[in-house]
Amino acid sequence: DYLELPEPELFELLHLHRRKIVQWFETAQGSYADFNAALRAVHRQFAMMETKLEEDVEVDVNGFYWGVLGDGVAGRYALVGTETKKTPRRVPIVSREDAEYWVEVDVQLLQVIIRGQHVQPLEAHMSEDRDVSTLLHVDPAKAATMQSAVILNLEAVQLRELVSRPFRLQRWMEFTGLPVIPDLYDRYYDLEDLEDEEEWVGALFEPVRRAFFVAPTCGDKDYAFYMSAEAAQAEATVAMLIGVHPKAPGQVYKEVVLFKHHRC
């Protein structure tokens, strides 16, 4: 539809010139500039189709550089990353197992493959962000049409890779609450109750506790700390304590890790 050319005629044209196109790309690998110029032109075309931009809007893909997929099949090339001053001016060879590249162009099949879970328009909470529109020099309405590869979806963070620009966008979720204290930490920390084998725990932690976690330095009440039975083992060299905020009982507010041999 974009070329206003029937698909059968398009693929017939490709079939007639496929070998010459692949041979040109294979020969162009000797020239970093020519090789990348050709693939950047391809990238620019499919990026404009994906982002549904007007014809007079230029998509800047000059920040990317490409490499050869070294799987023994000619005509397969991958977007390696963002070009910097330290990027070697030679065409690299990458493998399918490499996590570095995320866009693949197969000249043999006239196919573009974008790695990631799937491709989708940039979500509103990212496209409408002022930093995004300022950095990309686009208004929020245009940013909302930009396609992105879904790289990561976790509870605390989302990661998107833009198809048309050399940028990755991260969105960190708002902190919603404290985790519950694990059952393992069932001993209340008290300097007088420590076993002989645990004296080093008190020697390391007590100065810190008195300096930062005792009222009135930390508020109206002292922080409570809990430890596990494993700290009492004679061979233990690492101890971990859980700190509880006076206003958030039963929840982890601080984690303290002590190293016996490092004295910290």
Side-chain angles (χ1 to χ4, degrees):
D1 295 339
Y2 184 79
L3 297 175
E4 298 182 355
L5 187 68
E7 285 190 3
E9 294 184 16
L10 178 63
F11 280 95
E12 182 180 358
L13 183 65
L14 171 66
H15 179 70
L16 291 174
H17 297 280
R18 185 198 314 267
R19 177 172 295 183
K20 292 182 179 180
I21 295 174
V22 173
Q23 287 177 344
W24 186 91
F25 273 102
E26 293 297 296
T27 303
Q29 293 176 27
S31 171
Y32 177 88
D34 292 344
F35 180 81
N36 277 281
L39 284 169
R40 285 169 182 168
V42 174
H43 187 186
R44 185 177 298 108
Q45 290 301 314
F46 78 75
M48 289 186 66
M49 288 188 288
E50 289 289 346
T51 53
K52 300 180 176 62
L53 297 175
E54 291 85 352
E55 293 182 359
D56 60 343
V57 177
E58 183 71 14
V59 176
D60 184 12
V61 296
N62 292 325
F64 295 112
Y65 74 101
W66 292 74
V68 178
L69 271 175
D71 53 6
V73 180
R76 301 172 74 173
Y77 311 106
L79 190 155
V80 178
T82 305
E83 190 177 56
T84 66
K85 293 182 179 179
K86 296 183 179 180
T87 302
R89 292 305 185 263
R90 54 181 174 77
V91 177
I93 298 177
V94 297
S95 67
R96 277 192 167 276
E97 288 71 27
D98 290 338
E100 297 177 354
Y101 77 90
W102 61 279
V103 177
E104 177 185 334
V105 171
D106 191 330
V107 179
Q108 295 270 17
L109 302 177
L110 199 64
Q111 178 175 279
V112 175
I113 302 171
I114 300 178
R115 293 180 63 176
Q117 295 179 14
H118 60 276
V119 177
Q120 65 181 31
L122 197 60
E123 294 99 321
H125 54 252
M126 290 188 180
S127 64
E128 296 175 0
D129 188 277
R130 181 181 300 177
D131 291 340
V132 172
S133 58
T134 301
L135 181 64
L136 301 181
H137 303 291
V138 295
D139 58 59
K142 293 285 180 62
T145 66
M146 300 183 70
Q147 298 293 306
S148 62
V150 179
I151 305 299
L152 195 63
N153 271 327
L154 297 178
E155 182 178 351
V157 63
Q158 292 177 331
L159 178 61
R160 303 290 182 264
E161 186 118 35
L162 298 182
V163 172
S164 59
R165 309 288 179 96
F167 292 106
R168 280 190 172 188
L169 304 180
Q170 289 184 357
R171 177 178 182 256
W172 289 87
M173 307 306 175
E174 184 179 356
F175 180 70
T176 57
L178 298 171
V180 178
I181 298 178
D183 295 337
L184 178 65
Y185 298 91
D186 55 358
R187 296 175 55 204
Y188 179 74
Y189 168 82
D190 190 319
L191 184 63
E192 296 181 357
D193 293 338
L194 294 178
E195 302 290 341
D196 292 341
E197 297 84 356
E198 299 174 318
E199 289 183 356
W200 66 272
V201 175
L204 294 179
F205 180 57
E206 196 60 19
V208 177
R209 189 187 73 86
R210 291 183 178 276
F212 299 102
F213 302 111
V214 175
T217 303
C218 64
D220 297 332
K221 297 181 179 180
D222 297 352
Y223 279 52
F225 286 88
Y226 295 86
M227 55 195 300
S228 68
E230 294 180 357
Q233 298 177 5
E235 66 274 13
T237 59
V238 178
M240 186 169 179
L241 292 84
I242 296 297
V244 178
H245 195 284
K247 295 183 179 180
Q251 296 176 307
V252 178
Y253 189 73
K254 295 288 184 181
E255 291 182 341
V256 180
V257 181
L258 304 173
F259 298 92
K260 181 178 181 179
H261 296 321
H262 294 288
R263 306 300 297 171
C264 64

